Amino acid sequence: MNSAYFEMWNNIPPDTPNDLKTYLCRIVKNKAIDKLKYNSAEKRNAQLTVSLDELAECIPASADENLSASQLAELISRFLHEQDATHRKVFVRRYWYGDSLGHIAELFGMNEKTVATYLYRTREKLKTYLRKEGYYNE
């Protein structure tokens, strides 16, 4: 929204729109299209979007407003330190580095299904941990 207002601010002195609302809507539409093109470019890592969607299952959007992002990061960090090294490394490779299941399986000498199982179980443990810490509200 700020970028749309900024573009309007920069363009209005030379432009003279008849209808300001229509002019602003056109700017917003063009900004949205540009952002969509940017996000879906072939170079972008679509795998990262998939992995973050997986993680969203255990970190709800409707979380307690009293808990900041830094507090959530601290909780996740504490949780990961309590996990065994392999589970922790697999989790970090997937959700921090955005590695594919195949790449993680290759790194750790595992089957892809084993990696998927590790990730599922770790996400479930994280969900339980966050619930216990008072973060997760259903």
Side-chain angles (χ1 to χ4, degrees), residues 9-90:
W9 177 267
N10 287 333
N11 291 339
I12 285 208
D15 294 346
T16 54
N18 292 333
D19 183 13
L20 188 61
K21 184 177 179 182
T22 305
Y23 185 78
L24 182 59
C25 287
R26 184 183 57 80
I27 289 173
V28 169
K29 179 189 79 160
N30 290 338
K31 287 282 185 191
I33 290 170
D34 290 345
K35 189 67 172 173
L36 179 64
K37 286 178 184 175
Y38 175 83
N39 287 340
S40 61
E42 203 168 304
K43 298 189 281 192
R44 306 285 176 249
N45 187 355
Q47 186 66 35
L48 187 58
T49 304
V50 171
S51 66
L52 292 178
D53 286 344
E54 292 171 3
L55 195 55
E57 295 172 3
C58 57
I59 301 175
S62 61
D64 186 6
E65 293 82 20
N66 297 329
L67 196 61
S68 70
S70 62
Q71 290 169 319
L72 175 60
E74 177 63 31
L75 283 174
I76 293 172
S77 181
R78 270 193 277 149
F79 166 77
L80 288 174
H81 279 78
E82 293 175 5
Q83 303 306 304
D84 69 73
T86 305
H87 281 82
R88 179 176 53 247
K89 289 176 184 177
V90 167

Side-chain angles (χ1 to χ4, degrees), residues 74-119:
E74 177 63 31
L75 283 174
I76 293 172
S77 181
R78 270 193 277 149
F79 166 77
L80 288 174
H81 279 78
E82 293 175 5
Q83 303 306 304
D84 69 73
T86 305
H87 281 82
R88 179 176 53 247
K89 289 176 184 177
V90 167
F91 188 89
V92 169
R93 292 302 312 185
R94 179 69 172 165
Y95 301 117
W96 180 260
Y97 294 106
D99 289 349
S100 68
L101 296 179
H103 182 69
I104 296 169
E106 185 180 309
L107 284 173
F108 293 98
M110 299 176 174
N111 185 320
E112 275 190 50
K113 291 196 180 271
T114 304
V115 171
T117 302
Y118 272 35
L119 291 169

